[in-house]
Amino acid sequence: MLIAQPLKKLVSAVILDLDGTLINTDGIVSDVLKVYLVKYGKQWDGREAQKIVGKTPLEEAAIIVEDYKLPCATEDFVAEIYPMFNDQCCNIKALPGANRLIKHLRSHGVPMALASNSPRASIESKISYHQGWKESFSVIIGGDEVKMGKPSPEIFLEAAKRLNMEPSSCLVIEDSVPGVTAGKAAGTEVVAVPSIPKQTHLYTSADEVINSLLDLQLEKWGLPPFQDWVEGTLPLEPWYIGGPVIKGYGRGSKVLGIPTANLSTKGYSSVLSEHPSGVYVGWAGLSTRGIYKMAMSIGWNPYFNNSEKTIEPWLLHEFDEDFYGEELRLVIVGYIRPEENFPTLESLIAKILDDGKIAERALDLPLYSKYKDDSYLKNT
């Protein structure tokens, strides 16, 4: 007899963080700081990203002023840089799974609050570019509306109070360590979706750590489950990447017996930051050979512990020869699973072969097969 997984805890409401949880602010932060620091002869190198995640705007500013030894007061830095950020609000994209989550909770009448360390006016501005978001939250609280921002529990206690809920009946979804700390101190259940890669070990106090919002299983918390998975895949808005096939690590065909057609990640840093690491399905077009089904991994391949995020498509076809240098175009249409580590090479290979079978079956569905005719694949 199969025993159902026990529910972690029943909750009735969801409290969401904004930056790094629902929207991809990191890229905009980097873009603005790159431009700003040039005037002081400095170069933004991203090393502070880890330090500033989840902090209040003033704390973030103080860290950058100190680390880069800028000849200005923290308040002056904030006054100069915030208008630059606000000009970019219209360019901040929703993170994968954010729209899906908000629509789903709203359609099932689950009360939602937005609780962010950002000032209230900044929150309102950011969410105004995302259709239906403002109306979906019955409560919105900014860091300037409480005495202390996260990691203090105050903002989550206030959100629960305004929702007329006990904190223990609320599920907090957060991307930062200060946010997780605040949620647990408030007595809520907490799911962490780390916005900084390879840092999951820092989130041990969370009740669950997931790779992205695409992996959220609401039924674990007694909330209505998503019903949109099809044949082991989650349909996505299609996205496109392409380029010449390059030599990878040589482990695909040699170590795994699964030849992958690696793509260079040059020029795709924003795409890679937008899409979570994991395994995807889609179609691959080779300039001289045709169009094939494919399963693709994006990420660090924890078993091999890559130092960089890679794009490794596996074309589900037997080729007689290598095709390095050929133009490869990909249309990614569905998601299978998050990246994970494996205890043995055999278990990794078994999982990859399983991914291939899922891709083979799913791509025959009309939902996905129509993309085989996408002009991007043929435009080579």
Side-chain angles (χ1 to χ4, degrees), residues 138-327:
S138 39
V139 172
I140 296 174
I141 308 180
D144 55 345
E145 297 178 83
V146 289
K147 288 194 186 74
M148 291 178 72
K150 306 165 194 175
S152 160
E154 187 187 352
I155 200 164
F156 290 133
L157 291 171
E158 183 60 29
K161 186 175 157 191
R162 292 194 202 175
L163 285 167
N164 295 318
M165 296 281 176
E166 288 295 322
S168 60
S169 299
C170 297
L171 176 66
V172 161
I173 302 178
E174 262 287 354
D175 74 302
S176 73
V177 173
V180 169
T181 305
K184 289 317 295 174
T188 69
E189 299 295 302
V190 180
V191 171
V193 194
S195 56
I196 294 183
K198 296 190 165 192
Q199 297 297 321
T200 48
H201 60 284
L202 300 176
Y203 292 79
T204 46
S205 63
D207 297 287
E208 184 181 28
V209 182
I210 58 175
N211 186 55
S212 77
L213 292 176
L214 302 177
D215 305 309
L216 189 59
Q217 294 178 301
L218 292 169
E219 61 274 22
K220 283 187 177 182
W221 310 97
L223 294 167
F226 290 111
Q227 302 284 0
D228 48 359
W229 284 79
V230 183
E231 283 279 356
T233 64
L234 176 63
L236 300 175
E237 268 302 302
W239 47 284
Y240 302 81
I241 45 178
V245 177
I246 59 164
K247 280 195 185 288
Y249 295 94
R251 60 180 181 228
S253 43
K254 292 185 182 68
V255 180
L256 300 171
I258 295 159
T260 52
N262 294 45
L263 280 182
S264 168
T265 53
K266 282 194 179 69
Y268 284 111
S269 57
S270 62
V271 169
L272 288 174
S273 78
E274 277 166 39
H275 296 285
S277 56
V279 178
Y280 295 83
V281 301
W283 294 96
L286 272 171
S287 49
T288 60
R289 294 163 197 270
I291 294 168
Y292 307 94
K293 294 175 177 178
M294 64 107 189
M296 175 181 79
S297 92
I298 284 190
W300 286 270
N301 292 312
Y303 184 85
F304 295 106
N305 198 21
N306 289 3
S307 56
E308 299 171 6
K309 213 171 180 181
T310 58
I311 304 171
E312 301 184 24
W314 173 28
L315 277 53
L316 302 172
H317 179 82
E318 294 278 336
F319 292 96
D320 296 332
E321 60 200 338
D322 291 335
F323 39 83
Y324 295 124
E326 277 192 42
E327 180 75 13

Side-chain angles (χ1 to χ4, degrees), residues 32-44 70:
V32 169
L33 287 169
K34 270 176 196 161
V35 171
Y36 179 83
L37 291 171
V38 166
K39 78 174 192 179
Y40 292 115
K42 311 273 183 179
Q43 194 176 356
W44 170 255
L70 301 182

